[in-house]
Amino acid sequence: MESRGTKREAGEIEVAEPGNKLPRPAPSLPTDPALYSGPFPYYRRPSELGCFSLDAQRQYHGDARALRYYSPPPTNGQSPNFDLRDGYPDRYQPRDEEVQERLDHLLRWLLAHRGQLEGGPGWLAGAIVTWRGHLTKLLTTPYERQEGWQLAASRFQGTLYLSEVETPAARVQRLTRPPLLRELMYMGYKFEQYMCADKPGVSPDPSGEVNTNVAFCSVLRSRLGNHPLLFSGEVDCTNPQVPSTQPPTCYVELKTSKEMHSPGQWKSFYRHKLLKWWAQSFLPGVPNVVAGFRNPEGFVCSLKTFRTMEMFEYVRNDRDSWNPSVCMNFCAAFLSFAQNTVVEDDPRLVYLFSWEPGGPVTVSEHRDAPHAFLPPWYVEAVTQDLPSPPKD
Ligand code: GDP
Ligand code: MG
């Protein structure tokens, strides 16, 4: 593994000369890929600690009821013919994106299970708790040229919690999302419906509604360098056919992408899309991503399985493409930066890490609303050490 110190210069607070009263410059963390090209850091094989489900009304359940089963069409020489636009918009129940859930569902799981966590006493106090999707954004940051991000961080009873904040630009994009983009989002969920069944060994039923409130989330333990991690990610389905049905090895991520015809289109796909697919599935140890390629009419006519651990091979010889070591080294450097910035243990104190493409990660300090994100029911229960669930 790469030691925590290798990229230490980056992000470290510059200390003024003794006796010199000059204010220290605000710390920041550069994101240039060239700074993070060392050897691949240690990353513990992710293990599943548990799971939870969100139902059609976005209500939490501490079980696997929303888990679906991978059920691809029979491989009898025919290609699939999935109409991804079927049911749009009449059989579409999109989740209300105005509701900012922050870490709430994950914290509800953690409140119920923190007493039985493996890793020994005190493991949680040294860990970072977040969503997989937030870590994905960190992994792809050195290569991202379009979308910035903001991550809020608080320390509470030792644990560092990281929760994304929607940037003003992302909010504008969401509220002005063009109709065609809305339909494309639906198509991704519709593909899942064509490929998944509610029970093992039965065929998918694409006649029902697509409700994006429903989610199955796996809760995983890992470690990046010296940073113990507890994170949760939404899992599309499990493959009941795989030899080891032990999570996360049995999980499958489903994706759709535009059908490609030229070598140039494939090259761009490997450079940009495969990076995001790799980062998302590598983190939780999901071994396979099944892609459905759609034609301009919105029909999936071909499927291809990409093995997460082989994705880098498509770009290994491409100097201008991505490298997993850069992604992981940057993520480790950010986590060290955050750990060294958020020193005070106070759930009402929030450090907001902000990044825009072309610049470094910067930090600002906030207290209470609107940035504080650890809910009172969590803070109070943990403070009083009463493992009671939140009241509705
Ligand atoms: P992903 O990797 O980006 O799909 O995100 P995660 O798997 O980490 O998802 C964490 C939680 O956020 C789950 O409950 C998801 O249903 C939810 N989620 C996923 N994408 C979005 C999104 O675009 N906006 C919001 N608000 N929540 C999302
Ligand atoms: Mg998916």
Side-chain angles (χ1 to χ4, degrees), residues 192 236 253-255 280:
E192 296 175 7
D236 289 337
E253 172 66 31
L254 301 170
K255 295 288 186 198
Q280 186 192 33

Side-chain angles (χ1 to χ4, degrees), residues 254-271:
L254 301 170
K255 295 288 186 198
T256 61
S257 199
K258 236 192 243 179
E259 224 169 33
M260 287 164 293
H261 299 103
S262 70
Q265 289 172 331
W266 280 103
K267 188 168 186 166
S268 172
F269 165 82
Y270 298 144
R271 278 186 180 177

Side-chain angles (χ1 to χ4, degrees), residues 13-16 20-26:
I13 296 166
E14 288 174 40
V15 180
N20 185 334
K21 292 288 166 59
L22 283 175
R24 50 185 63 175

Side-chain angles (χ1 to χ4, degrees), residues 52 54 58 95-102 105 130-137 164 166 174 177 185 189 212-217 231-235 253 255 280:
F52 59 86
L54 304 174
R58 202 70 178 170
R95 184 174 52 83
D96 181 357
E97 291 177 281
E98 271 299 303
V99 181
Q100 304 286 329
E101 297 174 328
R102 309 205 263 198
H105 299 305
T130 191
W131 287 111
R132 178 271 310 274
H134 302 358
L135 296 173
T136 305
K137 288 197 177 177
E164 190 179 19
E166 188 178 48
R174 172 166 63 78
R177 198 177 279 148
M185 290 175 63
Y189 295 114
T212 58
N213 288 296
V214 181
F216 168 79
C217 293
F231 59 93
S232 177
E234 190 176 348
V235 168
E253 172 66 31
K255 295 288 186 198
Q280 186 192 33

